[in-house]
Amino acid sequence: MIYALLILPALVLIFIVFGFPIIRYFWLSIHASSVLTGLTATPNYGANWIRLLNDDRFWLDTIQTIRFTMCSVLIEIVLAIVFALILNQNFRGRGLVRSLSILPWALPTTIMALGWRWIFNTPYGPIERIVSIFSTNSINILSNPNIAWIATVFADIWKTTPFITLIILAGLQTIPTDLYEAFKLESGDKLKSFFNITLPLLQPYLIISIIFRLAQAFGVFDLIQVLTLGGPAGSTESIGLYAYLNAMRFLDFGYSATIIFFSFILLSLFCILAWLLINKIRDKYQRNML
Amino acid sequence: MIVKNMRRNIYIFIVIISILSTGFVRSLNLKSPEIINILMPAPFAESTENLVETFNKENQGKVKIKITKGPRETESVSDLAISSLLLGNSPFDILLIDVTWLPKYAAANWLTPLDELIKREDWDSLATGAKLGNTYKEKIYRWPFTADMGLLYWRKDLMKTPPKTPAELIAISKKLKENHSVKYGYVWQGRQYEGLSCVFLEVINGFGGNWLSESNDVQLTSKEALNAAKWLRELITSGASPASVTNFSENEALQIFQAGDAAFMRNWPYAWAELQKEESSIKGKVGVTTMVSEKNVQPTSTLGSWGFSILKQSKHKELAYEVINYLTSKDAQKELYLQYGYTPTMQQIYKDNDKELINSANILNELSNALSIAKPRPETPLYAQISDVLQRQLSSILTTDKPIHEALEIANDKTKIILKSAGNI
């Protein structure tokens, strides 16, 4: 009983910063609150929700957001494991390399997005300049709806891989080295030791980084806003950007809240799914080990 | 007893002194100036610095203008203003607002109607184009600061006269490209953003059509709209414009034109001042005209003006209006035109034949001409939505091989639904 009392202040705080906005969003989502109602909320009995279900643009944005999230998180995790393994080795100047590698993550997103916009610029950006040496056709990365979204994934990976690398590097340092020595004595090779020792022991760190990054990538806004504004042909628009447009540009707070509340449900489902999946893999792993 | 009395007297004395002194402090406070706070995008805040300084010196102790420097990018300024308005208690008295924000802000009940403050003769002194885009539901909410119109910049060293029709523009661009006079023909704003709507408004009107009719009917499936969209796609497919134009905003277009790599550019008047700078490689080789149009159709220039609005919650409305009068006075307009190329809004300035203005390598006649054919974008509080719908479809016309009529039909239907939801607001 006393424990429950002790965590009460924390619970209250969590409710204020987390629970209250979600409830407020839900409340707004069943009201019309826009420039047409003079910004006062009047109940509209689920009209926002019907509109959401029939809004093809919203579903396209959802697909794009999922595509963006899956690609960037998957690639980031793999890359981060590789980088963390490298940074965990003993070599000269390791401290310097470790601190340099965190730089992309330390940069504000808008600044790095502006940088990428310049790098992808046609015809003066460096990528186009390099391509122009080999071919007379330019590739127009940010003008092509089929590849512009890959550019956004690329920029996101560049920025956030260091963050996961850091978490995984911390995880690697908790693995005792004698495990590897014992494994070596049992004549196991390095690759096997990675799959049998490193990866299983990294699991808690992987779970944390995957769930963390899923939530972050799903809400992507600033990167897209600066790099493409959701274009070309709406191909890179994320749910976050659409919610922002509805609130700040169209002054339609009711519908914007509906989008946000729905994406909250979607993201929760996503995280539960990821968690279940990881658990299942772990169980299978442990059974194999036994 | 005496001691007690004395103590009481001291208390009374202290009370009297403190009452007097608060009164004194209050009278001092009366002498401190009234502050008029204005939110402006950064470039305007910088260019009006001298004017504001002069005003504050002349009115020392009475009125003080305080400029809050907003972001550079237009829509970010709106975000800032809207956030402060939504939270209530906005610190600003005056906002410098873009022409497309006005109906939205007025419908949200944030602005004061200026009808009672504006003198009839002042309103009549405005150039025709400058009068547009300041009213919502027959009330004036904004006083124009500087007019802004879409212009066609052309290279005097590459041709004798600028093209008049859409077909001519493509033909000249292709010819110049083929004989390697320039790398690219015509650069404009093709990115999926507000600039694309501005470009389209000029083109659809140039083909004799309309985005919305005067009675707010959507006309995006008309033959003229189809021709306009076809022409924009043809600019890219024929090679008259580079494919990368679909990711250009104003700055990217200016960058290419300024480097001497393009023959034509669509841009706003600010580009003229940039092209006159010493580092510009084509200084003195540039002419300015209005956008091309079909034969027998009057060309159109998209109106993109800035103006001052007084917030409803401002406590010094009359004083604020005086400040607006000062910042848009004839002298202020002349100075801003000479130094920064801001298009004047007062008709008299164009008629004056002021030597100083004419001698400054100016384009006053061209600006006056463009201002006389300027057209505002649809004036509805839902403008941002309908423009967004159009931008998306135009961008897909320019970057994919989606059938043009299909894209325009989608834009047409969605615009209709949006306007219907507003119930003719």
Side-chain angles (χ1 to χ4, degrees):
Chain A
M1 195 54 214
I2 188 84
Y3 303 113
L5 268 178
L6 283 175
I7 60 166
L8 198 67
L11 280 179
V12 169
L13 197 71
I14 285 177
F15 178 78
I16 292 172
V17 298
F18 186 72
F20 174 70
I22 290 293
I23 293 169
R24 165 90 183 155
Y25 276 132
F26 179 72
W27 182 84
L28 259 180
S29 81
I30 49 171
H31 286 74
S33 168
S34 73
V35 71
L36 299 176
T37 65
L39 300 185
T40 49
T42 43
N44 68 351
Y45 313 106
N48 286 330
W49 285 94
I50 294 168
R51 183 175 155 199
L52 185 85
L53 295 176
N54 292 311
D55 187 353
D56 52 348
R57 175 164 173 186
F58 172 74
W59 295 109
L60 281 176
D61 289 351
T62 307
I63 293 170
Q64 158 59 19
T65 309
I66 293 174
R67 178 168 76 167
F68 174 87
T69 308
M70 291 314 240
C71 292
S72 57
V73 174
L74 272 179
I75 299 173
E76 275 161 27
I77 292 283
V78 175
L79 277 181
I81 293 174
V82 174
F83 288 145
L85 286 173
I86 295 170
L87 290 176
N88 202 30
Q89 304 298 315
N90 268 320
F91 56 89
R92 265 183 76 181
R94 182 173 75 168
L96 185 72
V97 176
R98 276 185 183 177
S99 22
L100 280 181
S101 67
I102 202 75
L103 256 184
W105 188 61
L107 276 178
T109 313
T110 34
I111 291 178
M112 76 96 189
L114 267 181
W116 281 107
R117 200 177 146 189
W118 171 243
I119 291 170
F120 291 132
N121 173 294
T122 315
Y124 298 125
I127 291 188
E128 285 291 342
R129 285 287 166 103
I130 294 167
V131 169
S132 71
I133 299 172
F134 306 105
S135 141
T136 49
N137 294 329
S138 50
I139 40 179
N140 293 323
I141 299 164
L142 294 182
S143 307
N144 187 335
N146 297 323
I147 50 177
W149 74 274
I150 300 175
T152 63
V153 170
F154 199 81
D156 193 56
I157 292 173
W158 183 81
K159 173 157 172 71
T160 43
T161 306
F163 172 65
I164 307 184
T165 309
L166 203 69
I167 297 180
I168 293 176
L169 185 60
L172 282 176
Q173 284 165 4
T174 62
I175 302 175
T177 43
D178 39 358
L179 282 180
Y180 293 100
E181 278 157 21
F183 194 77
K184 209 171 165 189
L185 285 178
E186 302 281 338
S187 75
D189 62 15
K190 274 206 160 164
L191 194 69
K192 271 190 184 151
S193 78
F194 172 75
F195 284 106
N196 288 318
I197 303 173
T198 316
L199 218 46
L201 288 175
L202 272 182
Q203 262 174 19
Y205 301 91
L206 288 174
I207 294 174
I208 285 184
S209 17
I210 287 175
I211 290 188
F212 216 89
R213 280 294 304 142
L214 269 183
Q216 211 180 13
F218 202 78
V220 64
F221 166 74
D222 39 6
L223 171 70
I224 310 286
Q225 167 75 1
V226 176
L227 196 59
T228 63
L229 281 176
S235 60
T236 58
E237 188 172 271
S238 66
I239 297 181
L241 190 62
Y242 191 39
Y244 158 83
L245 277 180
N246 273 290
M248 296 306 282
R249 295 285 152 80
F250 308 162
L251 294 184
D252 190 345
F253 297 98
Y255 192 53
S256 180
T258 316
I259 296 170
I260 292 170
F261 190 79
F262 187 83
S263 68
F264 164 71
I265 298 173
L266 214 62
L267 180 63
S268 311
L269 281 179
F270 240 137
C271 287
I272 294 170
L273 213 72
W275 186 66
L276 286 177
L277 202 74
I278 293 167
N279 267 346
K280 211 173 174 189
I281 295 173
R282 184 170 55 188
D283 289 348
K284 211 172 148 193
Y285 226 92
Q286 277 167 354
R287 237 176 285 133
N288 283 352
M289 298 267 279
L290 292 173
Chain B
M1 202 59 192
I2 296 173
V3 176
K4 217 178 185 181
N5 263 345
M6 222 172 99
R7 194 176 279 168
R8 201 180 63 193
N9 284 346
I10 288 175
Y11 281 142
I12 292 172
F13 184 72
I14 289 174
V15 168
I16 290 173
I17 287 288
S18 53
I19 289 172
L20 282 179
S21 62
T22 49
F24 181 66
V25 170
R26 204 173 290 151
S27 73
L28 269 184
N29 263 348
L30 273 181
K31 276 182 188 163
S32 74
E34 303 279 1
I35 290 172
I36 301 291
N37 201 335
I38 313 180
L39 174 68
M40 292 187 185
F44 292 115
E46 282 154 20
S47 55
T48 51
E49 231 163 53
N50 284 339
L51 284 170
V52 169
E53 207 174 295
T54 320
F55 182 92
N56 286 345
K57 247 182 220 161
E58 280 171 7
N59 296 283
Q60 212 159 26
K62 284 181 276 175
V63 194
K64 191 173 178 231
I65 307 179
K66 199 180 143 215
I67 304 278
T68 305
K69 202 172 177 180
R72 254 165 212 286
E73 205 256 323
T74 306
E75 292 304 326
S76 313
V77 183
S78 178
D79 289 353
L80 183 66
I82 289 179
S83 309
S84 83
L85 288 162
L86 287 174
L87 291 172
N89 252 337
S90 167
F92 311 115
D93 295 287
I94 302 175
L95 296 181
L96 184 56
I97 66 173
D98 183 63
V99 63
T100 57
W101 306 345
L102 187 129
K104 187 164 70 180
Y105 283 36
N109 220 359
W110 288 331
L111 307 180
T112 313
L114 303 177
D115 302 70
E116 280 166 23
L117 296 165
I118 295 173
K119 288 190 203 103
R120 184 81 225 168
E121 66 260 32
D122 286 347
W123 182 254
D124 290 337
S125 75
L126 290 174
T128 326
K131 284 181 190 162
L132 300 171
N134 300 310
T135 50
Y136 175 68
K137 287 194 171 171
E138 282 154 26
K139 276 193 178 155
I140 304 173
Y141 284 98
R142 190 181 81 138
W143 185 259
F145 172 58
T146 168
D148 228 356
M149 304 81 57
L151 300 168
L152 180 66
Y153 290 78
W154 57 285
R155 289 276 296 277
K156 280 179 174 169
D157 56 331
L158 298 176
M159 65 203 91
K160 281 199 184 112
T161 53
K164 287 265 176 250
T165 66
E168 274 174 32
L169 192 143
I170 289 189
I172 299 178
S173 298
K174 275 166 78 179
K175 207 180 96 194
L176 288 173
K177 238 185 94 182
E178 270 157 28
N179 59 27
H180 299 286
S181 305
V182 277
K183 262 199 210 156
Y184 311 103
Y186 171 41
V187 289
W188 40 286
Q189 291 84 46
R191 196 174 191 213
Q192 184 189 317
Y193 82 120
E194 187 51 37
L196 186 53
S197 294
C198 296
V199 166
F200 188 69
L201 183 80
E202 282 161 9
V203 178
I204 189 173
N205 280 285
F207 275 89
N210 255 318
W211 183 353
L212 297 188
S213 73
E214 284 191 4
S215 53
N216 269 0
D217 281 329
V218 197
Q219 304 196 314
L220 290 174
T221 44
S222 66
K223 199 183 85 213
E224 290 84 7
L226 195 69
N227 285 341
K230 252 188 204 158
W231 183 71
L232 284 181
R233 187 186 263 180
E234 196 192 338
L235 280 174
I236 296 169
T237 52
S238 69
S241 296
S244 55
V245 83
T246 53
N247 195 36
F248 283 4
S249 56
E250 283 87 357
N251 280 340
E252 282 88 4
L254 180 61
Q255 219 169 33
I256 289 192
F257 192 71
Q258 199 164 19
D261 282 343
F264 304 104
M265 168 180 72
R266 188 250 172 225
N267 217 321
W268 306 97
Y270 86 95
W272 177 258
E274 293 294 317
L275 292 168
Q276 296 314 304
K277 286 186 177 161
E278 283 307 320
E279 64 265 26
S280 164
S281 66
I282 49 166
K283 192 185 170 194
K285 296 178 187 167
V286 182
V288 174
T289 180
T290 49
M291 189 44 62
V292 290
S293 62
E294 286 283 271
K295 264 181 196 154
N296 306 323
V297 178
Q298 196 196 34
T300 298
S301 192
T302 302
L303 182 73
S305 69
W306 288 88
F308 293 110
S309 290
I310 302 179
L311 289 184
K312 206 156 226 179
Q313 57 186 35
S314 164
K315 291 189 183 88
H316 326 276
K317 294 194 175 91
E318 270 153 43
L319 219 50
Y321 185 67
E322 266 174 50
V323 168
I324 293 176
N325 257 339
Y326 168 78
L327 289 173
T328 56
S329 66
K330 201 170 171 185
D331 290 338
Q333 291 199 22
K334 274 189 191 170
E335 194 186 316
L336 289 172
Y337 174 70
L338 283 173
Q339 280 195 20
Y340 302 97
Y342 289 0
T343 313
T345 56
M346 223 179 255
Q347 189 61 41
Q348 199 55 37
I349 294 180
Y350 296 101
K351 286 187 184 156
D352 268 355
N353 281 330
D354 192 314
K355 286 233 169 67
E356 202 188 356
L357 294 194
I358 291 168
N359 290 341
S360 60
N362 85 85
I363 47 168
L364 207 57
N365 278 336
E366 287 82 355
L367 290 179
S368 167
N369 194 8
L371 192 54
S372 68
I373 55 162
K375 188 171 174 150
R377 285 156 271 173
E379 292 172 272
T380 140
L382 300 180
Y383 173 73
Q385 279 100 312
I386 65 171
S387 171
D388 182 73
V389 160
L390 181 68
Q391 290 159 28
R392 257 174 101 89
Q393 294 308 321
L394 286 176
S395 180
S396 67
I397 288 173
L398 298 175
T399 58
T400 66
D401 41 19
K402 190 172 186 171
I404 295 176
H405 64 92
E406 210 173 89
L408 287 176
E409 266 161 31
I410 294 174
N412 203 64
D413 292 347
K414 293 206 162 170
T415 310
K416 265 188 194 164
I417 293 172
I418 292 168
L419 290 178
K420 208 172 150 193
S421 78
N424 297 325
I425 196 166

